[in-house]
């Protein structure tokens, strides 16, 4: 499904060049549930942005379902994201002055979903993350953890093939974190959705079937989670 | 030092009114180290914003060093924040297109600190959070955890009397989280800085001397941490 071949990402040039990613090789099959871990600044979000077709490598190739994403133009990449990918950003990226419900309807509007069905799907997604009583609140009228949950719901509302979640439980208390992880597990096991999730918490990573650990822009280890 | 008396915060009116805080009474002495905990949406950030003089209660009073903050005008509140308070926001609130170093110099510019001294203090604060090699990166060129650490450094750079930190380790891996908590402990024990910190992680809260737990806008418990 997803294949990174010898991918590097370099910011800046010469003396001040930063290798955010260095010769990354990783392959993810449909239906997998992968946790990406590693210290702050080790390259996790950079890789997620490339996998989510939001950014391009400096060198190397990224194949999404066999398609070389580097060979697509902007519109084709946008179409790919819209139809196959749900992305939960580390910084949420919600529209602050738009309501929770409208934030969820946006990806559906882009897909041409009719209004009645859009509203229904958005309400269901919001209910899944426990925020039915906050439908009309704007993003700036929500707590940090509530905004995070709206961002999660937005990634699921289009029923994508693969969900990329960059630290989706960072602002949630323990009970809500586990609720969200149970939700991801259900989507993965019952609907076959591929999940790639960044976390720095071991008990969140415990839900995943495979652990990829980063260190200084490289993959330090890639192992199956045998404790599941 | 800090005293909330029967403080409530209500958003909206009538049917859609939300009591973010309900009859809060809490007193914090100089030199304390308090952890604020509780589920997502339970009122923690709302209380922090009132304590940090960024927001006002709907009813009740807030006394900072004996001064009724509600009786101050905007400029007087800004002066209070500038001179006594360091605030780490749950959403960081850095200037995205400004370098890490410049973000740190901003509070010092407001205090009229001379340029040479400003630069020196900013560099030292950045070193304390392990980001000396990222001085010239703009906030948008930093990872999530690096941005969080710049936000922490900015709260310390003016050597305030009290630091309010709203989930300061949410985006940090375990090793860096403990480094930051050791830093807070040192500031508290060696310099007597009062620390009020929101977290939803028990092993982060373990560094604090007192635990205040929120539930639905009320304080459910307020206990000393005897395990320290
Ligand atoms: N401007 C606003 N208008 C309406 N409701 C609001 C507004 N700001 C906050 N709220 C509500 O007040 C409640 C408390 O919010 P607060 O941000 O204090 O929670 P929190 O404990 O910090 O949560 P988290 O752990 O998720 O950050 C939430 O239920 C939120 O929806
Ligand atoms: N636009 C940029 N210009 C220069 N350097 C950058 C840029 N964006 C990211 N970096 C650097 O690339 C490295 C990797 O960043 P990345 O965001 O992938 O880390 P991360 O593993 O997600 O960290 P965190 O856990 O803190 O979110 C960091 O050291 C960061 O400073
Ligand atoms: Mg990141
Ligand atoms: Mg909060």
């Amino acid at each position: 499904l997803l294949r990174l071949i010898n991918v590097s990402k370099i910011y800046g040039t010469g003396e001040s060049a930063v290798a955010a990613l260095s010769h990354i090789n990783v392959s993810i099959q449909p239906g997998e549930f992968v946790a990406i871990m590693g210290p702050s600044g080790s390259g996790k979000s950079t890789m997620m942005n490339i996998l989510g077709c939001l950014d391009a490598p400096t060198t190397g190739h990224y194949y999404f379902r066999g398609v070389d994403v580097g060979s697509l133009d902007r519109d084709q990449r946008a179409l790919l994201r819209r139809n196959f990918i749900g992305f939960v950003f580390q910084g949420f990226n919600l529209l602050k002055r738009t309501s929770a419900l409208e934030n969820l309807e946006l990806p559906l509007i882009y897909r041409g979903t009719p209004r009645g069905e859009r509203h229904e799907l958005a309400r269901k997604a919001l209910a899944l993350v426990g925020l039915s009583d906050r439908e009309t609140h704007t993003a700036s009228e929500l707590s940090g953890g509530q905004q995070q949950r709206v961002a999660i719901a937005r990634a699921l509302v289009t029923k994508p093939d693969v969900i990329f979640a960059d630290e989706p439980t960072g602002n949630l208390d323990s009970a809500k974190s586990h609720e969200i992880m149970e939700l991801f597990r259900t989507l993965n096991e019952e609907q076959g959705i591929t999940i790639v999730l960044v976390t720095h918490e071991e008990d969140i990573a415990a839900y995943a079937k495979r652990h990829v650990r980063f260190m200084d822009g490289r993959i330090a280890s890639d192992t199956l989670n045998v404790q599941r």
Side-chain angles (χ1 to χ4, degrees), chain A:
Chain A
L1 183 64
L2 314 168
R3 187 187 296 266
L4 293 173
I5 298 189
N6 201 27
V7 160
S8 294
K9 180 74 182 179
I10 318 282
Y11 289 109
T13 53
E15 277 291 314
S16 66
V18 172
L21 294 177
S22 209
H23 304 294
I24 299 294
N25 287 285
V26 82
S27 218
I28 297 175
Q29 308 300 332
E32 285 206 52
F33 191 156
V34 189
I36 312 288
M37 312 181 71
S40 172
S42 56
K44 308 180 296 294
S45 295
T46 304
M47 183 179 79
M48 292 289 275
N49 289 339
I50 290 172
L51 288 174
C53 305
L54 295 159
D55 194 12
T58 311
T59 57
H61 294 270
Y62 172 38
Y63 295 92
F64 183 91
R65 296 178 142 211
V67 176
D68 182 348
V69 179
S71 69
L72 303 177
D73 64 35
R74 271 185 75 137
D75 293 337
Q76 291 172 316
R77 277 203 308 276
L79 208 65
L80 200 78
R81 287 198 302 271
R82 188 187 309 170
N83 289 335
F84 299 112
I85 294 171
F87 204 106
V88 187
F89 293 88
Q90 191 168 4
F92 315 155
N93 290 8
L94 300 175
L95 297 178
K96 293 240 181 289
R97 272 163 268 163
T98 308
S99 76
L101 208 67
E102 287 165 334
N103 264 286
L104 296 201
E105 294 200 34
L106 213 58
L108 298 169
I109 291 172
Y110 284 136
R111 285 184 145 207
T113 310
R115 195 154 66 85
E117 185 182 350
R118 224 164 59 206
H119 199 70
E120 190 57 27
L121 288 169
R123 298 195 81 185
K124 281 193 180 146
L126 214 51
L128 273 180
V129 297
L131 286 174
S132 299
D133 61 349
R134 290 282 181 277
E135 285 183 355
T136 55
H137 281 233
T138 65
S140 60
E141 292 170 348
L142 296 174
S143 77
Q146 291 167 342
Q147 290 179 26
Q148 188 153 40
R149 285 182 276 156
V150 174
I152 291 165
R154 185 181 58 183
L156 328 165
V157 77
T158 53
K159 303 196 189 342
D161 290 0
V162 54
I163 292 174
F164 296 108
D166 198 343
E167 308 217 24
T169 63
N171 282 287
L172 299 178
D173 53 274
S174 179
K176 299 249 174 16
S177 296
H178 287 286
E179 268 176 53
I180 293 296
M181 293 312 293
E182 283 299 332
L183 172 58
F184 282 141
R185 172 180 282 174
T186 305
L187 294 169
N188 178 246
E189 294 183 354
E190 297 184 11
Q191 297 181 34
I193 297 180
T194 308
I195 308 218
V196 184
L197 175 144
V198 173
T199 181
H200 56 254
E201 295 187 55
E202 297 286 345
D203 49 349
I204 296 300
Y207 286 86
K209 300 173 193 160
R210 174 180 167 195
H211 289 169
V212 172
R213 290 178 194 272
F214 266 79
M215 183 71 98
D216 297 328
R218 294 168 189 275
I219 290 179
S221 70
D222 186 348
T223 57
L224 290 179
N225 178 15
V226 290
Q227 294 172 333
R228 264 200 51 166

